Amino acid sequence: MEKLVSSWYNTVKSVPQDYVFPEDTRPGDKIVPILENCPIIDLEEKVPGDRNDIIQQVLQASQEYGLFQVINHGVCGDLIKDTMRMAKEFFNMPNEEKASLYSLDPQKSCRLYTSSFDYAKESIHVWRDVLKHRCHPLEDWVDSWPKKPSKYRDVLGTYSVEVRNLSLRILEMIREGLDLKPGYFGDELTDVQTLLLSHYPPCPDPSLALGILKHCDPYIITILYQGNTCGLQVMKDGQWFGVKPVANAFVVNIGQLLKVVSNGKLESVEHRVVTNSKVPRYTITSFIGTCSDTVIEPAKVLLEKDDCRPLYRAFSYKEFLQANQEHRGEGEATLKVFKIEG
Ligand code: OGA
Ligand code: NI
């Protein structure tokens, strides 16, 4: 527990050595521009025919950026606010209240930890604490969630179901847009939902540390709520750009598995999180993914329709996760393992 950044950050005046990244990976002092053209897609159908237009916007953004924001998404603002409040209350409880959830075992279905998945093996740690738990189906997992704050299970339960439904709605649009079979994302590929609450305390020197290392999400699709505090950055054309927080919007991120299913048509963007010296940042991330035995491969319909060769061989999710760990989450290096050269 004493390793949690929140346990000690306000006792240090400089960044401890084991949080200082080498020059080639640290953020440095360069000013990072905002990704100005990052699409903000309004999901509300106002007149008949809008749906097709929205699908095209989603597809185009997924192809060009691998990431977009959505507004009028149907998840109520009060629920988002309550969920953020729960996250803040959870992380701000005294350590004794959270100690039973703290664990170094990545297999635990609900756990509180700090930095990345393997603190002991990494040489440099990242500046964040995490509460991670499985969600779907709710009744299978909710008993492993925190008992405190007292409304946690109630609020996060509702939030996880609503955000899952939103993920499935967006996937259905992608399915239609790509012309995949009805139900393509119906079961196996979207069986697993994981929720991650991240806490990035203020950091004395954000130019040296990172909140999360450069990575691509190793899932199907991610829905992130980043509140009002900047920190998320994406790599585009070899340069970092900030993703500007938009009130009540969700950031939608195409996962690496979806990139493979779409045979590289959709992009999965490399992103990272930087810290700031002034305010704590809290984010809530929902990942939709699959079980370790599921086979991932480019959709056959797509290959036939476009008369093109598969860019990736079929692989099990287990194999993928292993490659992903070996390459410390880096998207391109991980997918290279499965690429068919030619
Ligand atoms: C993640 C992630 C972004 C953030 O958890 O994979 O990219 O802003 N989070 O917390
Ligand atoms: Ni991510």
Side-chain angles (χ1 to χ4, degrees):
M1 282 294 274
E2 68 279 2
K3 290 199 167 71
L4 291 179
V5 183
S6 59
S7 301
W8 53 262
Y9 79 96
N10 55 6
T11 67
V12 299
K13 291 208 167 58
S14 60
V15 178
Q17 270 315 307
D18 52 348
Y19 285 80
V20 175
F21 278 89
E23 269 177 46
D24 57 338
T25 37
R26 69 172 70 151
D29 290 321
K30 272 199 297 275
I31 291 176
V32 171
I34 290 291
L35 188 64
E36 292 294 353
N37 299 325
C38 179
I40 298 173
I41 303 178
D42 185 340
L43 290 184
E44 194 173 60
E45 291 168 41
K46 288 171 179 92
V47 289
D50 265 9
R51 184 173 163 79
N52 280 339
D53 182 44
I54 299 170
I55 289 176
Q56 286 319 311
Q57 288 181 50
V58 166
L59 270 193
Q60 202 176 343
S62 306
Q63 281 167 7
E64 213 168 306
Y65 294 91
L67 169 139
F68 51 93
Q69 306 212 45
V70 291
I71 54 169
N72 288 326
H73 40 61
V75 182
C76 135
D78 283 346
L79 177 61
I80 298 176
K81 213 192 291 163
D82 286 350
T83 305
M84 273 308 246
R85 209 185 60 228
M86 286 300 121
K88 286 179 200 170
E89 280 183 20
F90 174 81
F91 285 114
N92 287 293
M93 288 193 308
N95 274 358
E96 311 82 89
E97 304 264 24
K98 296 178 286 201
S100 65
L101 294 165
Y102 185 78
S103 169
L104 297 174
D105 176 10
Q107 301 305 325
K108 257 193 107 194
S109 65
C110 176
R111 75 167 180 133
L112 172 67
Y113 61 98
T114 189
S115 193
S116 303
F117 58 92
D118 201 343
Y119 187 92
K121 280 207 194 122
E122 63 194 15
S123 52
I124 305 169
H125 310 301
V126 293
W127 199 271
R128 71 155 177 180
D129 299 331
V130 182
L131 176 67
K132 181 175 184 175
H133 54 64
R134 292 279 300 270
C135 299
H136 172 78
L138 196 55
E139 59 275 18
D140 287 1
W141 305 102
V142 69
D143 291 341
S144 68
W145 293 7
K147 288 199 182 81
K148 284 188 186 170
S150 60
K151 293 220 174 82
Y152 185 93
R153 292 181 178 183
D154 203 20
V155 173
L156 272 287
T158 311
Y159 181 86
S160 60
V161 169
E162 293 216 5
V163 168
R164 177 179 170 81
N165 289 340
L166 174 61
S167 312
L168 297 181
R169 250 176 80 201
I170 295 171
L171 283 175
E172 176 58 18
M173 294 190 214
I174 291 175
R175 184 203 67 74
E176 268 186 67
L178 291 177
D179 234 351
L180 301 176
K181 280 201 293 280
Y184 196 90
F185 296 113
D187 32 50
E188 269 200 322
L189 288 176
T190 52
D191 258 357
V192 177
Q193 182 185 11
T194 307
L195 211 66
L196 211 81
L197 277 60
S198 301
H199 175 204
Y200 308 93
C203 171
D205 188 347
S207 74
L208 302 176
L210 280 169
I212 311 187
L213 276 165
K214 174 170 111 171
H215 71 284
C216 281
D217 293 349
Y219 304 94
I220 292 280
I221 196 164
T222 304
I223 294 202
L224 164 77
Y225 185 69
Q226 61 164 342
N228 307 318
T229 313
C230 294
L232 176 65
Q233 298 183 344
V234 296
M235 177 63 91
K236 173 117 179 95
D237 307 325
Q239 208 193 323
W240 288 109
F241 290 91
V243 179
K244 196 176 161 182
V246 173
N248 279 326
F250 288 113
V251 176
V252 181
N253 219 310
I254 302 299
Q256 281 173 291
L257 305 184
L258 192 46
K259 176 169 177 167
V260 171
V261 166
S262 72
N263 201 34
K265 253 192 169 168
L266 306 186
E267 199 39 83
S268 178
V269 73
E270 303 259 21
H271 54 286
R272 70 177 186 183
V273 173
V274 296
T275 61
N276 77 79
S277 59
K278 298 196 172 60
V279 286
R281 181 169 181 267
Y282 300 88
T283 65
I284 303 157
T285 319
S286 161
F287 300 111
I288 299 289
T290 190
C291 306
S292 55
D293 294 332
T294 304
V295 174
I296 313 290
E297 61 186 341
K300 296 210 170 65
V301 190
L302 211 66
L303 302 178
E304 284 159 18
K305 193 181 78 163
D306 298 344
D307 193 22
C308 58
R309 62 175 189 88
L311 295 181
Y312 307 97
R313 67 169 172 87
F315 52 84
S316 72
Y317 188 49
K318 200 188 304 160
E319 256 183 287
F320 175 84
L321 282 181
Q322 205 174 343
N324 190 251
Q325 273 190 25
E326 266 162 34
H327 295 283
R328 276 174 271 104
E330 290 210 11
E332 212 169 308
T334 303
L335 281 189
K336 204 158 179 246
V337 174
F338 306 104
K339 216 163 181 160
I340 300 174
E341 303 296 341

